[in-house]
Amino acid sequence: MGDRREARDKEFQSFVIGRWPRLMRTAFLLTGEQHAAEDLVQSTLEQVFVAWRRVGSADDPEAYVRRVMINAHARKHRRRLREFLAPKDDSGLVREIADTGDRIAQAEDRGVLLKALAQLPPRQRQAVVLRYWEDLTETQAAEAMGCSVGAVKSNAAKGIAKLRAIPGLPDMVTQGGRK
């Protein structure tokens, strides 16, 4: 009994270590504050740890954890009417480390992107973050958001259209290549 529990604890620890940067990035993009992102990831991992036997044996444990995180964020957002994605100072932006392949990290002014993202309604922001930052398929994003593929397509399209309407933002994001 103790050996199985220890093996399960090690499996969970390995999962957390391997996924921490990506979970933090997603949480940061959803919440906009480093501390709020850390709290969101921690509370998500607390919930997941309790059910790790079931989660760890799922087809895609990362998708399960992402769904728990998005649901937790949505519950918190319902309680709080307004959240600000861009912190008042740059302390949260400095500590958020992007993956080396993250095209958004290559943009000159990441703060402009975060402020633009903050202007989106929560569901549009979730769709844009999951589809374009996390590079999930529409089906995976729909599963994570708990909605239909059509809702993901609609929210992502509306969110991208709003971002494109911000003067100078499309040029900044596409300056490094494709338009």
Side-chain angles (χ1 to χ4, degrees):
M1 175 86 169
D3 290 340
R4 280 189 281 169
R5 185 177 198 166
E6 189 174 311
R8 190 171 55 229
D9 288 352
K10 285 184 179 185
E11 180 186 353
F12 179 75
Q13 182 180 19
S14 175
F15 174 85
V16 171
I17 291 169
R19 304 307 192 294
W20 182 264
R22 189 170 181 143
L23 292 172
M24 278 299 299
R25 181 182 67 192
T26 301
F28 181 80
L29 291 168
L30 290 172
T31 64
E33 297 176 337
Q34 184 71 23
H35 296 296
E38 291 169 356
D39 289 345
L40 179 58
V41 173
Q42 285 291 340
S43 64
T44 298
L45 292 175
E46 287 174 9
Q47 291 176 9
V48 169
F49 178 74
V50 173
W52 184 249
R53 184 180 355 200
R54 184 177 30 144
V55 176
S57 63
D59 289 340
D60 189 357
E62 187 173 351
Y64 188 102
V65 172
R66 194 171 29 250
R67 174 73 184 266
V68 170
M69 184 166 49
I70 289 170
N71 287 343
H73 179 259
R75 277 192 304 276
K76 185 176 181 181
H77 180 72
R78 282 186 212 119
R79 285 185 233 128
R80 201 170 87 181
L81 294 177
R82 181 85 175 135
E83 68 181 66
F84 298 97
L85 187 57
K88 295 190 187 311
D89 61 16
D90 286 349
S91 61
L93 299 177
V94 172
R95 284 180 266 143
E96 196 265 329
I97 300 170
D99 291 347
T100 55
D102 185 357
R103 285 184 44 89
I104 301 304
Q106 298 167 5
E108 282 184 42
D109 189 355
R110 197 174 173 102
V112 172
L113 291 171
L114 292 173
K115 286 178 184 177
L117 193 59
Q119 295 175 19
L120 298 179
R123 293 299 277 181
Q124 289 177 15
R125 184 181 329 139
Q126 288 174 357
V128 169
V129 166
L130 293 174
R131 286 285 294 128
Y132 300 104
W133 267 278
E134 293 300 318
D135 201 27
L136 298 183
T137 65
E138 290 164 343
T139 303
Q140 291 169 325
E143 289 173 10
M145 292 173 63
C147 63
S148 68
V149 171
V152 170
K153 288 179 181 181
S154 175
N155 281 308
K158 289 176 184 174
I160 292 297
K162 286 182 181 178
L163 292 174
R164 285 184 177 144
I166 297 172
L169 184 63
D171 296 333
M172 182 179 66
V173 174
T174 59
Q175 73 184 6
R178 304 181 306 190
K179 286 193 178 186

